Amino acid sequence: MSQNTNPSQGTSYAAAGVDIEAGDKAVELFAPLAKKATRPEVRGGLGGFAGLFALGEYDKPLLAASSDGVGTKLAVAQAMDKHDTIGKDLVAMCVDDLVVCGAEPLFLQDYIAIGKVVPEHVASIVAGVAAGCEDAGCALLGGETAEHPGVMKEGEYDVSATAVGVVEEDKVLGPDRVRPGDVVIAMASSGLHSNGYSLARHVLLDTAQLPLDGHIEELGRTLGEELLEPTYIYAKDCLDLAAECEVHTFAHITGGGLANNLARVIPEGLVAELQRNSWTPGPIFDLIARTGNVAQEEMEKTFNMGVGMVAVVSEEDAERAMAILTARHMKVWRLGEVRTVADGEESGAFLSGSHPQV
């Protein structure tokens, strides 16, 4: 009587769609990259249940934390099968919120939810996160990759992260420092950054059906390359500026646009008047507006329109501040100024005038 040499192996985690070995392989691939994004305060190494970080010596430290994702820009990365830049966007969205209050980013932890772990894809995503952390001067302290078969399709993934920073209590920047006469300095964006992609995709890809690999003359490159341009990370620039000049606050220009985000750091009784004639938005913004017949008001409340970060500084330090940023190879300009509200006027920020004709 012959024996059954191929008995049923039963149901397994892998059969349900979760490949632990693929996850281990992904960690093996990205570990050397993650180790490069570190700081002297990091204790322990990758693989523990929690990341350890020595806070160091501060007088009255305040911890600052920010969590964010990348949004539907991920759909462009997935359509192009290019995953090595999206991590920089993730870092930027978190750390550049921290520096608004003057906090130095210390570390970041990421979370990747993915339909199926392809080790090379995960390593590519983490490579971007690690590069972004290096640009921001913070450590990639740890993270999590979760395989979600049956919930997400094989090529789909989403990313999020939390960054933690620290600032001395007496050095916190914010609305309480802003004064009439302060100057608003604009720092150029590197493009759309990571906001407004639902509208951009609807106009350019769904409605106009422009190909991602198609060269766009006015952009000087393909549409896909433009849409995947990583978000510029301002953290080091802002912190160095605050160390050398009288900066009262920053504003990170993300979802909601320039005026709405700046209004968040303008105190009651004051208004920041911004001049459109001080800059010309980049060609990607004109392409979206023209192709989709999108009104100026809608563009300005959806996109950064070419301004990624603003600094509110004292009038006395305005020229010096712009010189410092220019020396760091940044495109900056005087965007407007803060004044007392007029009769019948609301506090906040608004844009006046028109952009120069291209």
Side-chain angles (χ1 to χ4, degrees):
M1 186 175 180
S2 63
Q3 283 186 315
N4 181 0
T5 58
N6 186 29
S8 171
Q9 298 300 306
T11 302
S12 67
Y13 209 10
V18 177
D19 190 339
I20 293 176
E21 290 184 1
D24 291 341
K25 177 64 175 177
V27 173
E28 181 182 325
L29 291 175
F30 69 62
L33 303 171
K35 287 178 181 177
K36 292 170 61 179
T38 189
R39 287 174 58 113
E41 300 95 333
V42 174
R43 300 291 182 265
L46 293 174
F49 285 91
L52 300 176
F53 193 94
L55 189 56
E57 295 184 8
Y58 293 87
D59 184 22
K60 291 185 177 180
L62 296 179
L63 292 179
S66 176
S67 298
D68 213 333
V70 175
T72 61
K73 187 172 186 175
L74 289 172
V76 180
Q78 291 163 23
M80 294 181 65
D81 194 24
K82 181 174 172 57
H83 315 286
D84 60 343
T85 62
I86 212 75
K88 283 193 173 183
D89 295 287
L90 181 61
V91 175
M93 289 297 98
C94 294
V95 301
D96 285 339
D97 276 357
L98 294 181
V99 299
V100 167
C101 69
E104 177 187 6
L106 297 176
F107 59 83
L108 177 140
Q109 291 197 305
D110 63 2
Y111 177 83
I112 303 170
I114 193 165
K116 178 177 176 60
V117 170
V118 176
E120 292 76 14
H121 287 182
V122 175
S124 188
I125 296 168
V126 177
V129 177
C133 286
E134 288 189 78
D135 288 347
C138 68
L140 178 53
L141 195 59
E144 173 74 10
T145 299
E147 198 167 23
H148 290 170
V151 176
M152 307 177 80
K153 295 179 181 178
E154 189 168 309
E156 292 180 350
Y157 62 86
D158 197 5
V159 296
S160 63
T162 295
V164 174
V166 64
V167 59
E168 289 282 10
E169 186 175 23
D170 61 356
K171 293 183 178 180
V172 174
L173 305 179
D176 59 306
R177 291 180 179 252
V178 178
R179 299 288 182 268
D182 282 354
V183 174
V184 181
I185 296 172
M187 303 179 212
S189 71
S190 55
L192 296 182
H193 282 183
S194 298
N195 297 103
Y197 272 77
S198 293
L199 178 56
R201 289 170 49 248
H202 173 71
V203 168
L204 301 176
L205 306 181
D206 300 340
T207 303
Q209 297 190 342
L210 299 178
L212 286 169
D213 60 356
H215 183 84
I216 306 292
E217 187 68 28
E218 61 200 278
L219 300 178
R221 54 181 170 176
T222 68
L223 179 60
E225 288 171 333
E226 177 71 27
L227 293 180
L228 279 192
E229 179 68 33
T231 304
Y232 185 82
I233 296 174
Y234 300 91
K236 287 184 178 179
D237 303 300
C238 290
L239 292 173
D240 285 354
L241 183 67
E244 297 188 48
C245 291
E246 189 183 336
V247 176
H248 292 161
T249 191
F250 295 104
H252 187 198
I253 312 307
T254 55
L258 176 54
N260 286 342
N261 278 286
L262 181 54
R264 296 164 65 181
V265 293
I266 301 298
E268 189 69 27
L270 298 182
V271 63
E273 183 173 355
L274 314 176
Q275 303 299 328
R276 290 191 184 93
N277 63 10
S278 64
W279 91 102
T280 301
I284 184 61
F285 302 102
D286 179 65
L287 179 65
I288 294 170
R290 180 167 36 83
T291 304
N293 192 28
V294 184
Q296 178 175 278
E297 181 182 3
E298 187 68 22
M299 291 291 297
E300 291 180 344
K301 74 178 184 181
T302 304
F303 302 105
N304 64 58
M305 298 304 289
V307 181
M309 179 76 76
V310 300
V312 180
V313 306
S314 66
E315 169 66 43
E316 295 75 18
D317 267 2
E319 292 300 322
R320 182 163 174 261
M322 287 192 285
I324 289 170
L325 293 172
T326 300
R328 297 179 67 91
H329 308 291
M330 300 184 71
K331 181 181 179 182
V332 299
W333 63 95
R334 185 171 177 140
L335 180 60
E337 66 178 32
V338 178
R339 57 172 174 79
T340 304
V341 296
D343 290 341
E345 194 174 37
E346 294 184 359
S347 302
F350 71 94
L351 290 151
S352 66
S354 302
H355 292 295
Q357 294 298 312
V358 179

